[in-house]
Amino acid sequence: DGGITQSPKYLFRKEGQNVTLSCEQNLNHDAMYWYRQDPGQGLRLIYYSQIVNDFQKGDIAEGYSVSREKKESFPLTVTSAQKNPTAFYLCASSVGTGSQPQHFGDGTRLSIL
Amino acid sequence: GESVGLHLPTLSVQEGDNSIINCAYSNSASDYFIWYKQESGKGPQFIIDIRSNMDKRQGQRVTVLLNKTVKHLSLQIAATQPGDSAVYFCAEKTPVGATNKLIFGTGTLLAVQP
């Protein structure tokens, strides 16, 4: 089946630790995105990539980093600089950045130990 | 259908009734709109979209209405079923500099009573 796979589903981070969230898509989409979802708030954009080897900061990029070495993969690293990392993280992809829907994975829930 | 703080507005309907979920969007320059359904612990699922040159679009059991004059979007679900229970939120595509951005609403919880 075509889709977006995020792993792991649950992740725990210790103080001072970097953790990496995986996102893989087999939809042949050029654009990929990372969002953060907190209770009662709309999705907030962390980073996005319109094409391989290129990515841009979103609205809340501080404390996060990404890479886009392959079209299918867009991993997100939550660094120790992110002081409030507890959230539900969603990866999405779309054909392009025009008027096409973004399709989402099932998320990773990150908590602090 | 906009939320305040941590509390999502809730729409409670009886199974078989029609549901109408509303969304006010922010930017009159937005030209594309999407409705998503999100079940607990899962990612948002695309339902239907509409471009700003249309005012109505129908899918299977769902209809989206767009009123650009008052910047209002609604999602109508016909013959609501228990499986429709979820959080529904809208997104608008708005131009930001040389690119576009999706702005997401906070959502409405639809609770279907059997």
Side-chain angles (χ1 to χ4, degrees):
Chain A
D1 282 353
I4 301 173
T5 302
Q6 290 188 242
S7 63
K9 190 166 179 64
Y10 300 96
L11 188 58
F12 298 90
R13 196 191 88 169
K14 295 179 181 178
E15 293 289 339
Q17 186 181 43
N18 294 351
V19 292
T20 298
L21 284 60
S22 170
C23 178
E24 303 278 331
Q25 55 99 359
N26 60 4
L27 300 168
N28 200 33
H29 286 171
D30 283 319
M32 296 187 75
Y33 312 81
W34 274 105
Y35 291 93
R36 172 181 170 136
Q37 187 174 38
D38 294 283
Q41 297 190 38
L43 301 184
R44 293 186 289 167
L45 183 64
I46 304 172
Y47 268 98
Y48 67 99
S49 168
Q50 297 184 70
I51 200 165
V52 175
N53 292 321
D54 181 66
F55 50 83
Q56 307 293 330
K57 291 182 178 180
D59 300 318
I60 55 165
E62 186 176 349
Y64 300 98
S65 65
V66 293
S67 63
R68 186 86 187 276
E69 297 176 2
K70 297 187 300 182
K71 187 175 185 177
E72 305 79 22
S73 179
F74 191 40
L76 172 74
T77 296
V78 183
T79 75
S80 56
Q82 172 48 245
K83 297 306 178 189
N84 184 25
T86 297
F88 191 48
Y89 290 87
L90 288 161
C91 178
S93 71
S94 61
V95 172
T97 56
S99 297
Q100 302 106 5
Q102 293 180 16
H103 298 274
F104 288 83
D106 273 340
T108 293
R109 187 165 298 280
L110 176 62
S111 303
I112 299 302
L113 286 177
Chain B
E2 298 300 324
S3 72
V4 177
L6 298 178
H7 304 288
L8 290 177
T10 299
L11 175 64
S12 185
V13 300
Q14 290 293 126
E15 181 177 358
D17 287 352
N18 297 335
S19 303
I20 299 176
I21 301 169
N22 297 303
C23 177
Y25 65 91
S26 59
N27 191 343
S28 56
S30 295
D31 61 1
Y32 175 65
F33 305 87
I34 310 170
W35 277 102
Y36 286 97
K37 171 186 180 183
Q38 188 175 21
E39 297 175 81
S40 182
K42 293 191 173 182
Q45 176 186 354
F46 169 79
I47 302 173
I48 191 168
D49 57 2
I50 188 168
R51 288 174 168 74
S52 60
N53 60 352
M54 303 171 68
D55 53 20
K56 179 179 180 178
R57 189 164 187 226
Q58 288 184 288
Q60 186 177 11
R61 278 203 309 121
V62 295
T63 301
V64 55
L65 298 177
L66 175 62
N67 185 332
K68 294 182 286 293
T69 303
V70 295
K71 294 189 289 185
H72 183 269
L73 197 65
S74 68
L75 177 71
Q76 300 178 3
I77 304 173
T80 312
Q81 302 167 0
D84 294 327
S85 295
V87 173
Y88 291 80
F89 56 89
C90 64
E92 61 181 290
K93 180 175 75 71
T94 195
V96 177
T99 186
N100 298 302
K101 179 179 176 180
L102 271 188
I103 299 175
F104 293 85
T106 50
T108 295
L109 175 62
L110 177 64
V112 182
Q113 310 301 323

